[in-house]
Amino acid sequence: QHAADGPGRRRSVIHPKEGSKGARTKDHILDAALSLFAQSGSNAVSIRAIANEAGISHPGVLRYFANKDDLVMAAIRRRDMKAETSRFALEQLGKASSQAVIRVMLDSIRSNTQAKGMVATYVKIAAEATDAHHPGHDYFEHRYRVVVDLMCNSIHDLTSKDMDESR
């Protein structure tokens, strides 16, 4: 992947192998970004502030992320992986029983509320993503659609079974 680096110039973006020093640096940058996003939201935080929080240079951050939008989306995905509610996991829940779906969602809520900054980060970024121009807009729109469908279908299935059993 390349990112523009001035008119007619391109620079490479590093994609480190999992477990490498580069991967650890990238994770450190994302953790710094998530910490700042929890405090101020993603719109108010600059790449320079993230670099400072991570203890690396601004160009150092740009070695791993093409631009701020790329960094924001990577941070959202990292937050979801930490919360174990990635898009993939949510879509896989569609194959689970209604009781399993509700159990996983409740466990996720419990886990998120116990992890420092997890809810604040999510709420701030999700609120900013209501703007159609935010890099996370499509991600959150899809995510909400999947969660609402899963929960509605699961609740409907469970209430239908309860109604059948009470007859």
Side-chain angles (χ1 to χ4, degrees):
Q1 183 179 27
H2 290 87
D5 194 20
R9 296 179 58 199
R10 301 177 71 69
R11 64 177 168 77
S12 292
V13 176
I14 295 174
H15 298 286
K17 291 181 181 176
E18 192 173 328
S20 68
K21 182 180 178 196
R24 289 190 303 275
T25 299
K26 189 172 184 177
D27 287 346
H28 184 66
I29 293 166
L30 291 172
D31 288 340
L34 286 169
S35 174
L36 292 173
F37 294 166
Q39 296 169 27
S40 306
S42 63
N43 289 341
V45 176
S46 68
I47 291 178
R48 289 191 196 290
I50 294 166
N52 187 51
E53 179 79 9
I56 65 172
S57 68
H58 179 261
V61 171
L62 293 175
R63 290 184 64 188
Y64 295 94
F65 302 97
N67 52 44
K68 185 175 176 191
D69 287 355
D70 185 37
L71 176 57
V72 169
M73 285 308 302
I76 290 169
R77 287 185 196 99
R78 179 152 173 86
R79 184 250 165 235
D80 276 357
M81 285 192 322
K82 283 182 164 186
E84 299 177 334
T85 56
S86 68
R87 181 182 296 190
F88 175 78
L90 286 173
E91 290 170 348
Q92 293 303 307
L93 272 178
K95 299 172 186 168
S97 71
S98 297
Q99 289 177 330
V101 168
I102 292 173
R103 190 175 323 108
V104 167
M105 296 303 287
L106 291 174
D107 287 348
S108 177
I109 291 167
R110 186 179 306 108
S111 173
N112 287 344
T113 59
Q114 292 172 351
K116 184 179 181 205
M118 191 67 72
V119 173
T121 303
Y122 181 83
V123 168
K124 286 183 178 141
I125 295 174
E128 291 172 346
T130 60
D131 178 349
H133 300 293
H134 188 276
H137 179 78
D138 293 340
Y139 179 87
F140 279 98
E141 190 173 82
H142 174 79
R143 180 185 173 77
Y144 286 135
R145 193 175 315 113
V146 169
V147 169
V148 168
D149 288 348
L150 279 170
M151 293 303 291
C152 287
N153 291 336
S154 296
I155 291 168
H156 175 75
D157 289 349
L158 289 174
T159 55
S160 294
K161 287 177 188 174
D162 287 344
M163 299 277 282
D164 291 343
E165 289 174 7
S166 68
R167 291 181 192 183

